[in-house]
């Protein structure tokens, strides 16, 4: 009897409904704290993503674990998705969260808090403020790297330990 590929339609439907529910809860949370109609979209969309993406990881991690389980029995496997879909979901979640954390949200925060009137002046102020912060972080990282090299010598494991810390 030939082996047939099992279908993930039930898991797809569950994941879709769960993501829609997470999106709805995030929207309700935003509605509680922000006036949605008067808040500009350039503020609302990044804030929505900054809340939605980390919460969706709570759903994505068990699905990834169940998807990597190599069991023929669907009942023991639980909710699973195809490997390529899980990989794409992780990459989108990781890189969007990374961009939001290090670039978009800090720029947006300084843009909103700046005292300038024109969007160009607000954006330039935001770039300068965040550029200064990024240079301070870079200088601290270089200082830490020099310290590790002076303490442990120039070895790859020393750099790996610093990067992981």
């Amino acid at each position: 009897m030939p082996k047939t590929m099992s279908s993930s339609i039930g898991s797809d439907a569950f994941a879709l409904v769960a993501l829609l529910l997470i999106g709805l809860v995030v929207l309700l949370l935003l509605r509680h704290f922000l006036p949605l109609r008067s808040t500009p979209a350039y503020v609302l969309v990044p804030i929505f993503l900054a809340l939605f993406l980390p919460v969706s990881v709570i759903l994505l991690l068990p699905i990834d674990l169940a998807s990597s389980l190599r069991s023929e029995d669907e009942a023991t496997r639980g909710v699973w998705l195809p490997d390529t879909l899980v990989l794409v979901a992780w990459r989108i979640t990781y890189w969007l969260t990374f961009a939001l954390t290090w670039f978009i949200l800090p720029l947006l925060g300084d843009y909103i808090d700046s005292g300038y009137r024109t969007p160009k002046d607000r954006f330039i102020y935001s770039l300068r403020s965040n550029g200064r912060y990024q240079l301070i972080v870079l200088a601290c990282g270089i200082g830490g790297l020099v310290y590790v090299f002076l303490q442990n010598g120039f070895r790859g494991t020393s750099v790996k330990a610093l990067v992981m810390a």
Side-chain angles (χ1 to χ4, degrees), residues 81-150:
L81 295 172
D83 291 337
T84 55
L85 182 63
V86 173
L87 178 65
V88 168
W90 273 119
R91 285 185 177 172
I92 288 172
T93 302
Y94 176 80
W95 287 111
L96 272 176
T97 304
F98 180 84
L100 282 166
T101 302
W102 284 98
F103 304 111
I104 297 169
L105 291 176
L107 281 173
L108 185 62
D110 282 336
Y111 179 85
I112 291 169
D113 288 341
S114 74
Y116 294 100
R117 297 251 184 226
T118 63
K120 179 184 174 188
D121 290 337
R122 293 173 97 178
F123 188 68
I124 289 172
Y125 171 79
S126 179
L127 282 176
R128 282 186 184 151
S129 176
N130 280 289
R132 187 178 320 118
Y133 169 74
Q134 296 290 348
L135 284 175
I136 290 171
V137 169
L138 180 65
C140 289
I142 290 172
L145 191 63
V146 167
Y147 173 75
V148 167
F149 284 157
L150 291 176

Side-chain angles (χ1 to χ4, degrees), residues 7 15-16 19 38 47 68 80 93 98 103 107 125 149 157-158:
S7 175
L16 183 65
L19 286 174
S38 62
I47 298 298
S68 64
W80 64 277
T93 302
F98 180 84
F103 304 111
L107 281 173
Y125 171 79
F149 284 157
T157 56
S158 300

Side-chain angles (χ1 to χ4, degrees), residues 23-111:
L24 180 67
V25 169
V26 168
L27 274 176
L28 290 174
L29 186 66
L30 285 177
R31 183 174 164 241
H32 180 72
F33 289 104
L34 292 174
L36 293 181
R37 291 185 181 173
S38 62
T39 304
Y42 67 86
V43 173
L44 204 54
V45 171
I47 298 298
F48 174 82
L49 288 174
L51 293 171
F52 177 78
L53 290 172
V55 174
S56 68
V57 169
I58 296 170
L59 176 69
L60 187 57
L61 182 64
I63 290 175
D64 185 17
L65 292 173
S67 298
S68 64
L69 183 64
R70 298 294 176 215
S71 174
E72 297 297 324
D73 185 20
E74 280 188 45
T76 60
R77 215 168 165 189
V79 177
W80 64 277
L81 295 172
D83 291 337
T84 55
L85 182 63
V86 173
L87 178 65
V88 168
W90 273 119
R91 285 185 177 172
I92 288 172
T93 302
Y94 176 80
W95 287 111
L96 272 176
T97 304
F98 180 84
L100 282 166
T101 302
W102 284 98
F103 304 111
I104 297 169
L105 291 176
L107 281 173
L108 185 62
D110 282 336
Y111 179 85

